[in-house]
Amino acid sequence: MSLAFEEVRLRLPHIELAAHLYGPEDGRPVLALHGWLDNAASFARLAPKLEGVRIVALDLAGHGHSDHRPAGASYAIWDYVHDVLQVAEQFGWARFSLLGHSMGAIVSVLLAGALPERIERLALIDGVMPYTGEAEGAPQKLGEALLAQMALAAKRKPVYGQFERAVEARMRGVGAVSREAAEYLAQRGLMPVPGGYTWRTDSRLTLPSPLRLTRAHAEAFVRRLSCPTRLVLAEQGMLANQAELTRLLEGSPIEVMTRPGGHHLHLDDEPGAELVADCFKAFLLAP
């Protein structure tokens, strides 16, 4: 596995995050944001192929080697947006680009819509909009979330007797991945415990959202994008064949490029990473 990165810890005003740094210090600034329950290793194949850019691949809060949020706090999608902005502030980046996969792509769109003056370019991989919910379903969703929070203390993370068992479990998880991709994610995402290994991720990440943006809210963020935006859609990904997404993208400023592969096409194998890199190399360096 490639070690072509520098490991750093970023002490923000409210939390400490871990990250991998790729590329020259004077390269074009890019923050890379992984998907739900993944970590910075999501970009282990792709980042070294994006020459000329300075990539900060974060472990988002509660993931990988980053801190968990304090007791009583939650993992609302807009809290990640705040974290990302604080990271940019720490690096002194007034303007920067975002490279986001899945949930990381969603966070990227929200930040670019909220503060368009800060974002130069958006490079998105199989992700655009958050899951949405309409007003009539909000009371039920909040009730379900509250009950899940109350029950969390009685639940225990799975323990895998062998590293390979954890890798196999990740291969079958949400957004199924190749064995090699699962190994990348597991190397960073596992920690030893009595009896074997378990995931470092905060258990609260699996709780249902107490409140979701409506579709109108989510679409408003997409419509407000003003920077060049390129989306790589995976032919066998999680967004394939979604009629509503197709309708949204047709009326948006987002340039769509469809490529063969699954939801983690940028990590599953080297050919997939090359395909995604070819979509973003010149794009991220353009004036």
Side-chain angles (χ1 to χ4, degrees), residues 121-146:
R121 292 176 172 270
L122 285 183
L124 311 176
I125 305 170
D126 221 43
V128 183
M129 284 174 45
Y131 289 109
T132 58
E134 299 307 313
E136 59 270 18
Q140 179 180 345
K141 289 295 183 183
L142 177 57
E144 293 170 353
L146 291 171

Side-chain angles (χ1 to χ4, degrees), residues 34-35 37-43 58-59 63-65 184-186 188-189:
H34 62 76
L37 301 184
D38 288 346
N39 53 60
S42 178
F43 299 100
L58 291 176
D59 282 336
H63 297 76
H65 289 254
Y184 274 110
L185 296 171
R188 187 159 184 83

Side-chain angles (χ1 to χ4, degrees), residues 73-89:
S74 63
Y75 287 90
I77 193 78
W78 38 83
D79 291 327
Y80 289 122
V81 176
H82 176 243
D83 295 342
V84 171
L85 192 60
Q86 288 283 2
V87 170
E89 290 292 297

Side-chain angles (χ1 to χ4, degrees), residues 215-232:
R215 174 161 289 276
H217 280 118
E219 290 182 356
F221 282 93
V222 174
R223 288 196 301 271
R224 195 160 188 255
L225 295 178
S226 59
C227 65
T229 301
R230 181 169 290 180
L231 167 64
V232 173

